[in-house]
Structures are given as C-alpha cells and as structure tokens.
Amino acid sequence: MVKNRHDGDRGIPEISFAAPAGTPAGVEVLSLADLRRRVPRERLAVPQRPDFHHLITLGDGMLRHPVDFTAHTLEPGSWLWIRPGQVHQWDDLTRAEGTLILFRQDFLDPATAAGARLDDPHAPVLRRPLADEAEALRLAAGHLASEFHALGHLPLEIHTAALRHLLAVLVLRLAHLTSPAGLPSAEPDATYLRFRDAVEKNFARTRRVEDYAEAMGYSSRTLSRATLASVGLGAKEVIDRRVVLEAKRLLAHSDQTAARIADRLGFSSATHFSKFFHQHTGQSPIAFRGTVRGGHAPG
C-alpha cells in the first residue's frame, strides 16, 4: 500500500505510494477492514505526510481523523480528501467501516487533474455532499472498487485505463459539489490562485507581499484585493498562515529545536520566530509543542 521513508531533517515520516504486486501503479482501493488487518495500529497512529491523495468515505460508524491540526469527524455519506503534503494520522478505526482510495496525482490525465483541482493544498478536507450527490459518489466509488478488484478480467493496459476513467469521474464529482445553500461554489480568482501557488513555493524564503507582487507583475493592492475576494483574508495573512502551519507541523512532528525551525522557515533568529509564532497562535513554540504532545486535541 505505502512505503515509509523518514526525512531526518524534517522529522515527519514521509509516505510514498507503493502499488500492490500485480496491480496498476498509481491507484489502490481497499476497505478500512483491510487497512486494519494489514497495518499495525501503532503505525497508523503515527502522524504521516503522504505524497499521494487519500479519499476516505464511510458506510457505517464514525471516524475522527486529524489533518493539519484540525480534527474532522467523518460519518456515513461524507468524504475526507487528504492531499499530498498534508500531515494526518489515523484515529480509532474499530468503530468505522468504509472505503479508502489512494492515488498518485500523475495517475490521472492533466485535464482531469486541472478540473478536479488536484494541486490545491487549500481545498476543503471534509466534504458533505447533498443526498443526490452522495448517491452518485457512492456509485462511482463502487464502480471503481469493483474494477480494481477485477484484475485479470481485462488486459492490464485496458484495466488501467478503466480505473483511470472511473477515478476521474469520482474526483471530478467530489471537487464540484453543490454548496449546502444549493448554489454552485464560486470559482477561485485566477490572481489569487497564482498568488497561492507562489506562496506555497516560497513561504520559507519571503513573507513580504511586495516580493510576491513584484515577481508576479502585480501591485500589492491587487494581490490583497484578490485574496480578500477569494478567501476573506489579506495577502499578508495568507502568507503568515502558511508559515504558521508549517511551523506547527515541524514543532508537533519533529524534534528540531526552535532555532532550527526558525532557520528552515527563513527567520533571522529564534527570537524573531518565537515572537511571530506567539503573535499568530497565542503560544510560544515550545508551549505549542508541549500542548500537542501532551495529548490535547489539535487545533
């Protein structure tokens, strides 16, 4: 299912996709019961940063699943979409029955990847579809699972193509759910999307809006208008929130010192980093690490 590697500098277990023997590389469908049988509970409980997508849906029971310091509660009919780079960990699986779909982003064609916004690390993690959409998703997942377990009924290349098309249907539907109010979700502003992608690549190099504006050919005011319209935040807040998230990941899931984390995130000193972190979270870095590791619910 997966192959573990440990990046000693980062300190967070990195998980790479490893296809089961004899199956198409890039996708796997299994039940949560299969997952419980195949992976020891203590391994599942360790925070992980996969480089592939997880789709989780339940048929029965309930599952609490923390993703990047937010604990999501999954119930039958809802979906959890964990994307590459997000840190997550499995909670108690004994009260949940459902399906887990794992796939590499490059398993799908570029048009599907773009249409499903696969490279959007800020997309909602928890999805609660309306009744008719929930049924369509259930059928799509069922067809995908049936085809995955029908290995050998078709030539491998045809089987792989069928899986690719069935997975495309599922992720496209899941990415374009109707909002609870009954109106389609607004498309993100193109300027905001460019800015968000630039922040994702460069947040450890600069936290200055002016640097992003200059590199992108916009004014700082244009970037702030775009972020306010798309997510209700100023451009500086978007940058700072991304830095805080990475700081939380490193504090919670590694043993690196605050000075080392400060250096990784582009701060001139541990003192500067500590002031920044306290300003945005109300805690010092060390206090946050103690809270998370002391067993308190992440937040």
Side-chain angles (χ1 to χ4, degrees), residues 153-231:
H153 292 192
L154 294 170
L156 182 59
E157 64 273 18
I158 303 302
H159 175 62
T160 301
L163 288 173
R164 185 172 288 115
H165 288 301
L166 290 168
L167 178 61
V169 171
L170 177 62
V171 298
L172 286 168
R173 282 191 171 276
L174 196 54
H176 294 275
L177 295 177
T178 305
S179 69
L183 299 173
S185 299
E187 293 291 325
D189 177 81
T191 301
Y192 163 71
L193 292 177
R194 284 192 62 203
F195 173 63
R196 183 202 64 197
D197 291 344
V199 171
E200 190 65 25
K201 294 176 183 176
N202 299 297
F203 68 84
R205 297 188 184 97
T206 179
R207 296 183 300 281
R208 285 169 36 90
V209 176
E210 295 81 1
D211 292 340
Y212 290 95
E214 181 178 357
M216 296 171 63
Y218 295 123
S219 68
S220 298
R221 183 176 297 179
T222 295
L223 290 184
S224 286
R225 280 201 302 263
T227 60
L228 281 169
S230 296
V231 293

Side-chain angles (χ1 to χ4, degrees), residues 62-127:
M62 184 184 72
L63 179 65
R64 181 180 177 276
H65 200 99
V67 181
D68 277 335
F69 311 98
T70 298
H72 301 279
T73 299
L74 194 62
E75 298 173 338
S78 57
W79 287 76
L80 206 65
W81 190 336
I82 303 162
R83 294 169 185 260
Q86 292 181 314
V87 176
H88 78 109
Q89 63 191 109
W90 294 91
D91 203 2
D92 183 8
L93 276 171
T94 60
R95 297 181 297 155
E97 299 298 338
T99 300
L100 171 62
I101 300 165
L102 311 172
F103 67 96
R104 288 173 40 150
Q105 186 147 323
D106 60 7
F107 183 72
L108 294 168
D109 64 89
T112 299
R117 305 167 186 157
L118 295 189
D119 61 352
D120 182 1
H122 305 281
V125 173
L126 183 63
R127 313 283 177 122

